[in-house]
Amino acid sequence: MDLTFSEAELAFRDELRSWLADHHPGEMPHGDEDEQYAFRRDWQRTLYDGGWAAVHWPSRYGGRDATLTQSAIYFEELGRARAPLAANVLGLLLAGPTIMAWGTEEQQDRYLTPILSAEEIWCQGFSEPEAGSDLASLKTKAVRDGDEWVVTGQKVWTSGAQHSKWCMLVARTDQDVPKHKGLSYFLMDMEQAEIQVRPLVQITGEAEFNELFIEEARIPHENLLGGEGNGWKVALTTLMNERAGLGFFLQVRMRNVLDDLVTAAVQNGRIDDPVVADRLGDLHLRTENLRLLAYRGLSTIERYGQPGPEGSLTKWLWSETNQLLAQTAADVVGADALVAGTPWAYELLRSRGNSIEGGTTEILKNIVAERVLRLPRAA
């Protein structure tokens, strides 16, 4: 694995750094979710106007034909500049690439540009109360009715549904075939009275996630993506893109928080405590390890064309390290870190969800045990 950037990659990084210096959105507002969302939507429009909304997309769709390494540089530089992610991150990373891979020319013409410009926001309707990690067990059903599909069911953990115009929906369209073969993938308009969005309020007071209650919602047949019964294959395309590039943004963001914590420890004198210094040193090593694991994952994709199981190891270690970082911050900063509404208190509370979101630690450990260590499956 060669970590040296080529001249083209360095030129790409320098161009982006220069652009970010001239167009930085400033510090994102704290506290109010709607204000934060509006801030990120404005930021995506700025990225779109500058041609930086989705560098990994082909240029014919409004991207920059960026390589995997350039995409990694893109997310690292966003994190380094402490700029936020775009508002429509699920549209840019998941819906767009899936529509490019499986959509008709008409579907690509209709949906891709509004995704880039943040005109239309997307959410992901995969997880269900009894089918979270086991997607193929989902029960939401879609029944053909002339030129439409009628959908009934329930989804959960639907991030950003309250802001979304469209939903990547996987539903069961055939009950009489093996469960993986009876699924279809739809582009569902969220603006229907038959769809209720109910927020799931977290310990932070935010409601990033939602439940969807769908009672005979209608989807035109032309919004079927990839053909009837191909939902499992289309969904895998979405899932393959789920963590693309974000790992680089998250590890840089973690580095920023650690740097802030070290600064706080220096200012309040806790850095002189050898136990505190040891914990901060351990976090430095863990953060650097995550950076190298992110590049190792990138190298695997470049070599074999698809992510390897080390992505599960990275996610597991990231959630563990972020929780350790938040706990250390509470110990180093002291009572001030426990005051509601402060950034440190937010980090402490928000980190509790890290080992659940994006794949639970228990599932990730199973993947590492079976596919990396080659241990036998539990009976």
Side-chain angles (χ1 to χ4, degrees), residues 20 38 50 55 76 114 123 133 136 148 174-175 183 185 188 191 195 255 261 268 314 363:
L20 285 170
V55 299
E76 274 197 323
C123 61
S133 299
E148 293 181 319
D174 191 337
Q175 309 283 343
L183 305 176
Y185 194 116
M188 182 174 73
E191 295 178 353
I195 303 173
R255 164 63 61 186
L261 179 58
N268 69 10
T314 303
I363 293 295

Side-chain angles (χ1 to χ4, degrees), residues 80-378:
R80 196 186 309 277
R82 301 195 179 218
L85 288 173
N88 198 15
V89 65
L90 296 185
L92 295 170
L93 294 181
L94 305 186
T98 306
I99 292 171
M100 288 179 217
W102 291 92
T104 63
E105 186 173 343
E106 290 75 17
Q107 289 172 330
Q108 292 167 356
D109 289 342
R110 166 63 186 83
Y111 296 108
L112 294 180
T113 297
I115 289 175
L116 275 180
S117 64
E119 182 182 350
E120 294 178 347
I121 306 297
W122 285 70
C123 61
Q124 182 184 8
F126 281 22
S127 295
E128 297 187 1
E130 297 181 10
S133 299
D134 185 10
L135 176 63
S137 295
L138 64 81
K139 295 180 179 177
T140 293
K141 65 178 181 180
V143 178
R144 182 81 180 263
D145 181 20
D147 292 333
E148 293 181 319
W149 291 85
V150 182
V151 181
T152 299
Q154 181 183 353
K155 298 290 178 178
V156 71
W157 309 123
T158 311
S159 303
Q162 70 272 44
H163 304 298
S164 296
K165 162 66 176 172
W166 295 100
C167 177
M168 298 165 266
L169 182 88
V170 179
R172 187 164 301 285
T173 51
D174 191 337
Q175 309 283 343
D176 301 322
V177 296
K179 60 182 183 180
H180 291 78
K181 297 181 179 179
L183 305 176
S184 296
Y185 194 116
F186 298 93
L187 312 178
M188 182 174 73
D189 190 341
M190 293 286 288
E191 295 178 353
Q192 302 186 52
E194 292 76 14
I195 303 173
Q196 291 187 30
V197 178
R198 298 181 188 173
L200 293 168
V201 180
Q202 303 157 236
I203 192 172
T204 59
E206 296 176 319
E208 296 175 82
F209 317 113
N210 301 273
E211 292 177 291
L212 298 187
F213 294 88
I214 308 168
E215 186 62 39
E216 296 190 349
R218 295 268 171 174
I219 302 177
H221 182 66
E222 64 190 28
N223 286 20
L224 176 66
L225 189 67
E228 184 178 349
N230 282 327
W232 180 252
K233 295 178 182 177
V234 183
L236 287 182
T237 300
T238 302
L239 295 172
M240 289 279 284
N241 286 281
E242 190 164 20
R243 292 172 194 150
L246 275 182
F248 289 91
F249 181 86
L250 293 175
Q251 60 92 6
V252 173
R253 185 186 179 281
M254 183 183 292
R255 164 63 61 186
N256 293 339
V257 175
L258 178 57
D259 289 345
D260 291 344
L261 179 58
V262 171
T263 299
V266 170
Q267 290 174 342
N268 69 10
R270 295 298 309 281
I271 195 70
D272 297 327
D273 184 333
V275 175
V276 170
D278 182 69
R279 292 174 69 181
L280 292 174
D282 177 64
L283 286 167
H284 170 81
L285 291 175
R286 284 173 171 270
T287 305
E288 185 65 10
N289 184 35
L290 282 166
R291 186 180 74 84
L292 296 175
L293 277 173
Y295 274 101
R296 181 171 179 171
L298 179 65
S299 178
T300 299
I301 296 173
E302 288 180 331
R303 181 177 299 178
Y304 301 109
Q306 58 184 5
E310 64 267 20
S312 298
L313 180 63
T314 303
K315 168 41 177 77
W316 166 18
L317 295 179
W318 171 81
S319 60
E320 186 179 88
T321 302
N322 206 44
Q323 289 172 348
L324 280 173
L325 174 57
Q327 184 58 56
T328 302
D331 295 340
V332 169
V333 177
D336 289 345
L338 304 179
V339 176
T342 63
W344 293 119
Y346 175 84
E347 293 289 342
L348 182 63
L349 296 175
R350 182 63 184 81
S351 68
R352 294 298 90 194
N354 294 159
S355 46
I356 300 174
E357 60 192 335
T360 66
T361 294
E362 288 77 9
I363 293 295
L364 298 175
K365 286 181 177 178
N366 279 342
I367 293 173
V368 171
E370 293 170 7
R371 301 184 190 176
V372 178
L373 301 177
R374 303 298 181 186
L375 297 176
R377 299 190 66 172

